[in-house]
Amino acid sequence: EMMDYLDYSSLESRYSDMGCPAYPPATMVKILGYASSKSIRSSRGIEEALKIDIRLIWLAGGLVPDHNTIARFRKDGSSDLENLYKDSVKVCMRAGLVFLNSVSTDGSKIVAAASKKRIYNQERLEREMKRVEQILQEAQEIDRAEDELYGSGNGREIPQELRDAKVRKEKLQEMAKQLKETHSKNVVSSDSECRVMKTRNNGKCPAYNLQTSVDADNQIIVAMELTASETDHGYLPKMVEQTESNTGVSPDISLADSGYWDEETLKWVEQSEHDVLIPVMEQPREAKRTDLFAGKCFVYDDERDVVICPAGRDLVFTAQYKMSSGNYKRYAATGCKSCSFHKQCCGKKANRRINVSVVAHVRQQIRDRLQTQEGRELYSLGKQTVEPVFGQMKTNRGFDRLLLHGYAGALAETALMCLIHNILKCASNANAREYLGRIQRRVAFAATLCIVLVASAERQKMIYAAIDISGRW
């Protein structure tokens, strides 16, 4: 019943009226969704269940699509399944389950369908390329010898080992090109769109990174994105924007772990004025010092654009530098040798210099917020919100490994799983069912009222007699 509230028009528009009728798209989505909720994910497993599981038999209306049809529908409908997932967010909103008081964002590695044996690094590529070159050379020598022995009759046919080696060489060259373009250490031969990532239970293996934003009140997934990035850096603004797009409302506060913070994200926080809580790191070069003369003990004067050291001396701005960890302003003092704390502060250098991040003030504001009682309570809410969602998907529904190769297939599986998570949350909430039922009854009444208004007087009497208007209302 909850699935009936979704909009299947984009899926239905893909099919033509000509030829043999296709299986109803809404029925196919319901079959896939219910099977996934029961940890039946393989197309052959679903086909078997459609024959013996009375729940799926009833849900499918007796239809039994084969495993090829199920697999093609799931893989080819990645964008449509993603749209259905976004529609499920709107259904949950109409059901009164999404409040956006606080939204937690986190990522989780989903193991790809590719095998670990398909991982290639530069060393393995060079080793196998050398072996292929050797095979090609040997095959050419055999070919020349056969030409001399048998003449030109059989010389026109390329030996099988030569053909295989040529194909192998082309594939290795393609992987070497991809390795160079992506600037990564490894590449996966059977699924070039995934990346080798470090996972909790499987070590380093081909995987995708699933980003989700979850509403804290009822654990509804309000935004999701499947990426091939090994880290979470830079994805928080995208997830917040997607949340706003899916719901039409901006979250009151966004929670994320330390993996999401970087300079660009903090700039976005300042410009967009979103309320965000992220555990920010210390500046790399200043984090090691813990004495009185550490960088965090220097005070920045915004009006004069100077940094004041613990001894009261001004450090003036000299230049701005770009480093691996971001952009920094450099402030330097003069005449530090006359200070009694010269040795403790400057060490062997004549004058003290300090680098200040261009987003240091935003970093300090977030750090101060996290040190308050309210900030600690809000941040602790984040793990209680998003981690159970990953646990339900991975452990309870068996979504610990993808079954389809390529990004399109992986996105289809992920969107389907997020869609089912939201629908199950909505279906298990009695208030949500009653609320959506009232909406459906009001829509039916509005349609009936429109018919009555345009009908003739005689037809109106027939409609009034057939429908209890007061009961409808």
Side-chain angles (χ1 to χ4, degrees):
E1 291 174 356
M2 288 296 156
M3 296 284 281
D4 287 335
Y5 288 98
L6 301 177
D7 182 8
Y8 299 96
S9 57
S10 62
L11 267 172
E12 292 168 350
S13 63
R14 290 169 45 197
Y15 295 91
S16 172
D17 295 333
M18 300 176 64
C20 182
Y23 289 102
T27 301
M28 293 293 292
V29 174
K30 290 177 183 179
I31 291 171
L32 282 169
Y34 188 79
S36 299
S37 71
K38 299 301 179 184
S39 300
I40 308 172
R41 297 177 54 219
S42 72
S43 56
R44 286 179 172 83
I46 296 173
E47 180 185 6
E48 182 68 18
L50 282 167
K51 299 174 182 177
I52 62 175
D53 192 327
I54 194 169
R55 300 169 298 182
L56 275 170
I57 293 172
W58 174 85
L59 188 64
L63 298 175
V64 187
D66 63 10
H67 62 274
N68 288 321
T69 302
I70 295 169
R72 282 196 303 269
F73 180 86
R74 180 167 52 187
K75 186 169 184 178
D76 296 342
S78 58
S79 59
D80 296 307
L81 288 173
E82 188 178 11
N83 290 333
L84 284 176
Y85 152 70
K86 293 178 180 179
D87 203 28
S88 74
V89 179
K90 295 179 175 64
V91 170
C92 292
M93 286 197 69
R94 291 199 298 268
L97 298 181
V98 177
F99 298 98
L100 299 180
N101 293 323
S102 64
V103 174
S104 302
T105 300
D106 201 0
S108 181
K109 307 296 192 299
I110 308 294
V111 180
S115 169
K116 287 184 179 182
K117 296 179 182 179
R118 300 296 182 180
I119 299 175
Y120 284 78
N121 55 17
Q122 189 65 38
E123 183 182 354
R124 183 179 178 184
L125 280 172
E126 292 175 357
R127 184 173 65 249
E128 295 203 10
M129 186 68 78
K130 186 177 180 181
R131 176 58 183 158
V132 167
E133 293 287 356
Q134 183 181 353
I135 293 172
L136 286 171
Q137 186 176 358
E138 291 174 357
Q140 288 173 353
E141 291 175 358
I142 293 171
D143 195 27
R144 282 197 299 268
E146 288 180 348
D147 282 345
E148 294 175 1
L149 184 62
Y150 301 110
S152 60
N154 293 328
R156 291 190 300 269
E157 298 179 1
I158 301 175
Q160 182 65 36
E161 63 271 17
L162 184 61
R163 289 200 299 268
D164 292 345
K166 281 185 174 180
V167 173
R168 181 72 174 161
K169 183 178 179 180
E170 290 174 0
K171 192 167 185 179
L172 289 172
Q173 288 174 340
E174 184 180 346
M175 285 190 289
K177 182 181 178 181
Q178 183 186 351
L179 197 67
K180 185 178 180 180
E181 290 175 350
T182 57
H183 303 289
S184 59
K185 296 181 180 179
N186 301 285
V187 65
V188 184
S189 63
S190 58
D191 190 350
S192 59
E193 294 175 292
C194 69
R195 293 290 178 269
V196 179
M197 304 182 189
K198 186 177 180 180
T199 60
R200 183 174 298 177
N201 299 324
N202 297 281
K204 287 189 175 182
C205 62
Y208 289 94
N209 190 356
L210 172 60
Q211 300 288 322
T212 59
S213 293
V214 182
D215 182 70
D217 291 285
N218 290 288
Q219 294 182 352
I220 302 297
I221 302 175
V222 292
M224 78 91 183
E225 184 170 347
L226 191 67
T227 73
S229 174
E230 299 177 38
T231 65
D232 299 330
H233 294 316
Y235 280 100
L236 184 60
K238 297 179 182 178
M239 299 305 292
V240 174
E241 289 168 6
Q242 190 183 137
T243 300
E244 293 174 345
S245 174
N246 291 345
T247 63
V249 184
S250 178
D252 291 342
I253 185 167
S254 298
L255 310 174
D257 59 27
S258 58
Y260 283 88
W261 91 271
D262 58 8
E263 185 177 297
E264 293 302 319
T265 299
L266 294 184
K267 285 181 179 178
W268 168 82
V269 170
E270 182 180 23
Q271 293 170 2
S272 64
E273 298 182 352
H274 277 87
D275 195 358
V276 174
L277 278 183
I278 312 175
V280 292
M281 308 293 287
E282 293 282 353
Q283 291 182 194
R285 295 190 177 185
E286 298 293 334
K288 297 178 180 179
R289 296 192 62 164
T290 57
D291 59 2
L292 180 63
F293 299 97
K296 59 185 177 182
C297 298
F298 286 60
V299 180
Y300 177 70
D301 188 342
D302 191 15
E303 294 182 1
R304 296 191 296 142
D305 192 23
V306 298
V307 175
I308 305 171
C309 75
R313 195 180 297 270
D314 289 347
L315 283 75
V316 298
F317 172 76
T318 57
Q320 184 167 321
Y321 295 89
K322 183 175 178 60
M323 302 181 185
S324 59
S325 56
N327 294 288
Y328 292 86
K329 290 182 177 180
R330 176 165 291 179
Y331 293 84
T334 55
C336 287
K337 287 187 176 181
S338 62
C339 179
S340 56
F341 300 104
H342 175 262
K343 188 175 181 181
Q344 297 96 314
C345 181
C346 304
K348 296 181 180 180
K349 295 180 180 178
N351 295 298
R352 180 64 187 270
R353 294 184 301 180
I354 184 171
N355 296 323
V356 179
S357 171
V358 294
V359 289
H361 57 291
V362 184
R363 190 197 313 244
Q364 190 59 44
Q365 289 172 4
I366 296 175
R367 188 181 293 116
D368 293 342
R369 178 89 179 275
L370 282 169
Q371 291 175 352
T372 64
Q373 180 66 25
E374 179 194 9
R376 287 193 294 268
E377 290 177 357
L378 279 171
Y379 182 70
S380 65
L381 185 64
K383 291 184 178 180
Q384 301 172 28
T385 299
V386 70
E387 292 297 340
V389 172
F390 287 137
Q392 291 164 20
M393 293 169 63
K394 287 186 168 183
T395 305
N396 297 355
R397 298 175 196 131
F399 189 57
D400 55 348
R401 187 186 185 95
L402 295 165
L403 301 180
L404 302 179
H405 288 267
Y407 180 80
L411 178 61
E413 286 190 77
T414 305
L416 180 65
M417 193 58 65
C418 293
L419 161 66
I420 292 306
H421 172 85
N422 285 353
I423 290 295
L424 288 174
K425 286 287 184 182
C426 199
S428 63
N429 192 296
N431 293 331
R433 292 199 301 271
E434 175 60 27
Y435 187 81
L436 288 172
R438 288 202 303 272
I439 292 177
Q440 194 174 40
R441 289 194 295 272
R442 287 173 183 173
V443 170
F445 173 73
T448 304
L449 187 59
C450 290
I451 295 172
V452 170
L453 291 174
V454 299
S456 62
E458 185 177 350
R459 184 69 58 97
Q460 286 180 2
K461 293 178 181 179
M462 295 171 60
I463 294 173
Y464 284 132
I467 301 174
D468 181 8
I469 298 296
S470 63
R472 285 282 186 176
W473 184 256

